[in-house]
Structure formats: C-alpha cells, structure tokens
Amino acid sequence: MARLRRFWARGGIGLALGILLAPSVSFAAPTGEERVVVVVAADRDDDDVNGVADGAETVVRGRAADDVVALVDGATRIEVDKGAECARPLVSGHPTAWPSARGAVKVQGVAPCDVEGTVVRGARRTPFTVHVRAYGFRGGAGEDVDPTKLHASMERTAPASAPADAAASYDDPDALRIHVSGDESAPPAVEVQSYGSAGNALDRLEHLPLAAVACRAGEGAHCWSSAPIRLVVDDTDRLQALVLGRSLRGEVGGGLAVRGGGRKLQAIRIEGPRSSAVGPIGRFRVQARPFVFRVAAGGAPAFGATEERAIGIVRSELALASSTWGQCGVTLGPPADIAVKVVDPPASSLLSFGDDAGLPASGGQLHLRADGKVVAVTWSAGLDVAAVAGKVAAALESQGLKVVVSPNARIGPGAGPSTDLLVHRRSGAPVVLEAANRDEPLSTDATLEVRLGIVDLSDGLQHFGDVDAVAGTLEERALVKSIDDGDPTTLDLVFVPFFGGGGRIGESFIGSDASSVENVVLLDRAGVRARRSSFTLAHEMGHVLLDIPGHPDDYGIDTPSSLMDSDAADASAFGPRRISVEECARMIRESGPEARTPLLKPWKLGPIRY
Ligand SMILES: [Zn+2]
C-alpha cells in the first residue's frame, strides 16, 4: 500500500499532468461523452519583458504567447456556463468575448478556476473544461511576488532550516515559495528550473514537494506551497544539508521557471534584492579591465605559467566575483566576453614630484634623460610641487613628448599632494626615463623629492600602508597608471606575482580617496589561490563598489560570513561570501547611475526562451 501511494505521489500524477497539459480530447468512459479538456497556467509572467503581464496584453503575440494553448478549431460559437473570467479566448492573438470566439480559438489563463462550457461547431456541441492553475512566487512574509513587476534575487543569507509549516513566514529576504492554486483537488507535479542570462538551462529541482495550504480570497478551491526556494552561486551553498533540495544555482539576468508536463508554466527573472532602502535593485553591469603582469618583460605571467593558463585563471576569478556580486544584482557580464591582457611591467616612464612629504622647493635643477635626449629644468625656491611638475611637463612637451599630469591625494603626514608625470611618445609608446648622469641624483633640490617610478615585480610589489593608502606607493602608481584608460567608470583589475613584505593578498584604490588612482583592484597569486575560502577579488571589488576603505569587523563586530570581513577564510557555505541588503543599497548610492563615478550601468533584461 505504501509503495502504491508513493507511486501516485511521484510518478502517477506527473504522468497524468503530462497528458492533460497538451490540449486534448478525452472520452469519459461512463457516459461516452466527448469533452475537450485543456490545462493552462494563469499567465501572470512577462515573457516578452515589456513590463505588461502576458495575460493582460491587448494583443498576445510573439513571446507573450508562449503560455497560450489551443482550445478548438472551427468553432462557430462558444458558450460558457461557469468561470468565464478565469481564461480568455484568443483569435489570431486578439482577446475576444467568449460568445464571439470563432474559428481557431486558443486560450490564455487569467485566474485559477475551472472554465466550463460548450464549443459549438455547426450542429455539433462539445462540452469543454479549461483547468486554469495559478503558479506564483511567495516571499517570507507570505506576500505574492508579481513576476511582471518584481523579480527573484540571489541568496544573501547563510543556510538555515526551512519552517516545517508550508504557510509559515520566514526571515530569508531572497528565498521564494512556489505557490500553486486551482479548482482540481490533486496537487500538480511540478519541477523548478533555473536559467542563465543567456537563456541556458542552469539547474533543476525535480519533483518539487508541495504541501496543501489554506487558500486566500481570489484563489482556486485548492492551494499548495513549496518550501522556500533559494537561488545560489555554487554547489557549496547548494549542497549544504540545511538547504539541500530547495537550492539551485542561479544567475543575475537569468530566470526561475516552474515547469510541468514538459513546458514552462510560469517564470520570474533574477535581478538584485527585491527591497532595499533604495527600492528594488535591478540588474547592473560593471565593465572590468583585467591585466596580468609578467614578472619581467617577456617573462612568465604572474601565475599560470603560460598566458593561456593565466587568462583562464583570471576568467574563473571573474566568474566567481561576478556571481558573488549577483547578490546585489551586479554582474561583470559573461567572462568569455571580457578581454584579459597579459602585459610586461612598465618601463620607467613615470616621474614623481613630492612623493615623500610633498614639501615645496628649495630651488634646484633636474637632469633627465628621456629616450636618450637630455632634458634640464631649473626652478627657484618656494615653488610648490605642482608648479615644479608643471615646469618639467612643459619642458618634456617641448621635446615633442606627450605628458599626462596626475596629482595624487595628499597622504597623512604630507605637507601637500604629490604629482606624477607619465611620459609617452606621440605614438603612445612609453618613454624610458633615467637620470642624465648615472652617478648624480635626478634633482639637486634639497626638499622637493623627484623620483622615477620603477616597477620591479621580482621582489614583490611594494604596497601601501596606512600612511600612504590614499595615494599608493610610487611603484604601485607606476604600475597602475601604465594601464589607466582615464575612465574612472571602469574597474581596472591588476594581477601581480606577489606583494612585497608578505601578508597582503589583495588591495584596492577607491573613489573617495580623491586620488588619481581610482577604482582599481590589485590581487596577487596568493589572492587568486585563496579563491573560494576568501573571495579575494569579490572582497576587493566591494571596497570599490561600496566606496569604503574599512571592514565591518574593524569596529569590533565580527561577521565571518560577510564578504567584507577583513580576515575570514572559510570554504563552507558559512564562509565570507554574503553581502547585506544595506551594502547593496550603499553600492547603488556610491557607484550607481546617480553617483559621482557611476561604475554600475543599468542592464535591461532580454527575453529567455524557456
Ligand atoms: Zn578589505
């Protein structure tokens, strides 16, 4: 007996649904009466992504007609006895009143109930039933989430067990129950399928368990709900025991569909958090520019031994960071579309003034060799750093060279800000700068430091400390400015072999530093190796997107599951991978379309073929 019941609950009903879902003519045995039976979903999703529910379109065409089912051919009249409001007949895509539906009539579900009546074809009268079921998405407070107006979101909460009662409220702001309602008493067999932003099938929960729950006003006679379904980044989160069987991989820009009988019944798109201090957060794209530095010119890349391997490693880092930021609706786009460049460390083309203390000049002279040509510049005492840098820039330009002048943020102990000159030929090729005489200093000024930015990655990249964090070290600036495109709204990602001094695996330059180095993330090979235990790239991206130099645990609140925790390392589902809704809202304020530096570009959804 038990075996038989299990058979019906699993395979039996799925089979019955498969038959019923196709438009069918069934012959009821007792009376021999011919009856047309059709099952449709109340069409509340928006398959053509035009902001109008497919079931409310004035003309149902193209993708909006994806959930429409044929009812009858050659009708001369349709009489409805009950449930007329629960479905609408379509003739050539045009919604029609039931009595005037003629010819080839299709049917679109509107609300959950059974529609019953008679199809008249000349002298023939055939009774029909349209079972309209509603498949919906319900949030933690029991609220219905309209798939046309709102969206599903990636999981931001660490695993926790689901409430035993299928009608109980729950805390998780992202997970959604699948809710089904209709007039039939048997629970339907449904599965849940997720799709990527390219429309690719991503993950599936077969045989979604549904439990009977009380129906609300406007629902059918019978209602069922699932456990809260979570959309997650990876198998670590998907296979965790507390959430196993109700978690599936998702992707921002993709979708979550309820399916049955081989077709999609209802779908909702995946974007950012459904509610936040700045309202619902949609989908945003960040344009990343990744560079992998070679240890030395022409040498091996920072990691991966070959260029191809290095590019592959970077792409998988980008995929992980992108899916992690999916929690806030952010994506870097398909990793295969991101150009990853493997480049030599820059030649010494950067000249820095006042790099140390930013002190004004005591008067002096510069003797520089630029591409072999000697350039001499003299200045008097009292000039500030920017004025001296300006004089030297003019002298270099008069030699036919191209000079980019970039002031840095003033560091804590500095008297004033330092200024860098980046020197190129007219062709754009970097110019090699060196002291005119090897045995003499570059400049004779006793207070105003003039230094060459020399990058030597063989001893590690000299990284900033607390004192010079806002400007970065001279070596960091020489490195980063060599790949700068002058566009602060792109995110530059710099991969180096290792940081000097040990301990550090990643760092970032953020917009609020008011530095000329802005929105740059640096990562070394240890940061790349830490991958899923530390989420280093996603963490450093967080400093840039949130425009925040510190960490939540700097102030004593230890949050080891937070992506922005400074030192957590844990490869489990409780590791440092979660982003709070407050952080997502801050991200929109600091980097969204209205921000001073809009790193986030809104990215409209396109239709998915389910
Ligand atoms: Zn950090």
Side-chain angles (χ1 to χ4, degrees), residues 539-540 543 549-551 564-566:
H539 172 96
E540 296 301 337
H543 284 299
H551 304 102
M564 296 315 294
D565 190 276
S566 69

Side-chain angles (χ1 to χ4, degrees), residues 184-543:
E184 299 147 286
S185 58
V190 293
E191 63 177 31
V192 180
Q193 169 91 55
S194 61
Y195 297 82
S197 56
N200 50 308
L202 209 59
D203 201 358
R204 190 159 73 122
L205 294 175
E206 270 184 278
H207 307 302
L208 183 74
L210 291 170
V213 292
C215 293
R216 297 179 185 169
E219 295 194 315
H222 299 275
C223 296
W224 300 271
S225 277
S226 75
I229 304 296
R230 299 158 42 97
L231 289 162
V232 299
V233 167
D234 58 15
D235 278 351
T236 305
D237 213 358
R238 180 173 173 268
L239 302 175
Q240 207 284 331
L242 293 170
V243 294
L244 184 64
R246 58 185 186 91
S247 299
L248 66 172
R249 272 177 288 119
E251 185 179 301
V252 161
L256 176 70
V258 182
R259 298 180 58 94
R263 54 178 298 159
K264 181 270 258 173
L265 302 168
Q266 199 87 168
I268 190 166
R269 300 304 294 271
I270 307 169
E271 296 187 275
R274 296 198 298 278
S275 94
S276 80
V278 296
I281 298 176
R283 176 169 69 156
F284 294 91
R285 186 171 191 161
V286 173
Q287 200 200 326
R289 298 173 65 239
F291 295 85
V292 181
F293 278 92
R294 296 194 185 93
V295 180
F303 43 77
T306 67
E307 278 194 25
E308 203 179 6
R309 278 278 300 144
I311 291 168
I313 291 168
V314 168
R315 289 233 167 93
S316 64
E317 283 302 304
L318 294 171
L320 180 64
S322 183
S323 55
T324 302
W325 277 95
Q327 294 173 73
C328 290
V330 171
T331 171
L332 298 173
D337 292 359
I338 302 173
V340 182
K341 293 192 173 131
V342 180
V343 293
D344 284 340
S348 56
S349 306
L350 186 124
L351 196 59
S352 181
F353 295 81
D355 177 54
D356 198 6
L359 290 173
S362 331
Q365 198 173 39
L366 174 86
H367 280 276
L368 184 72
R369 195 180 297 273
D371 258 0
K373 262 184 249 172
V374 173
V375 178
V377 184
T378 309
W379 60 85
S380 48
L383 286 185
D384 69 9
V385 167
V388 173
K391 263 176 106 66
V392 174
L396 289 163
E397 279 169 343
S398 74
Q399 296 291 321
L401 299 170
K402 220 167 82 180
V403 182
V404 178
V405 181
S406 54
N408 301 303
R410 186 177 68 81
I411 62 171
S418 60
T419 295
D420 297 333
L421 304 184
L422 188 62
V423 188
H424 286 101
R425 289 187 205 136
R426 288 262 158 241
S427 67
V431 166
V432 177
L433 304 175
E434 57 199 335
N437 303 306
R438 255 175 220 288
D439 307 329
E440 285 169 30
L442 207 51
S443 136
T444 57
D445 197 296
T447 48
L448 195 156
E449 278 292 343
V450 184
R451 292 175 180 169
L452 280 172
I454 294 175
V455 175
D456 178 7
L457 297 178
S458 66
D459 63 350
L461 179 66
Q462 302 313 304
H463 63 73
F464 62 72
D466 286 348
V467 163
D468 53 1
V470 292
T473 66
L474 178 54
E475 188 175 27
E476 284 173 327
R477 296 201 309 272
L479 186 78
V480 166
K481 287 182 181 182
S482 75
I483 51 103
D484 187 27
D485 64 348
D487 180 358
T489 71
T490 56
L491 176 67
D492 293 345
L493 305 176
V494 174
F495 295 88
V496 296
F498 62 101
F499 290 104
R504 185 165 303 198
I505 57 175
E507 61 182 32
S508 45
F509 292 87
I510 67 178
S512 66
D513 291 343
S515 166
S516 49
V517 177
E518 200 180 337
N519 302 329
V520 179
V521 165
L522 287 99
L523 217 65
D524 77 355
R525 60 167 85 108
V528 170
R529 269 191 214 118
R531 277 216 97 194
R532 282 182 192 275
S533 59
S534 295
F535 292 82
T536 320
L537 177 54
H539 172 96
E540 296 301 337
M541 266 177 72
H543 284 299

Side-chain angles (χ1 to χ4, degrees), residues 57-61 88-97 101 105-106:
E57 295 277 7
T58 49
V59 184
V60 187
R61 284 209 184 107
R88 52 183 197 168
L90 304 177
V91 178
S92 305
H94 291 270
T96 313
V105 179
K106 292 181 175 178

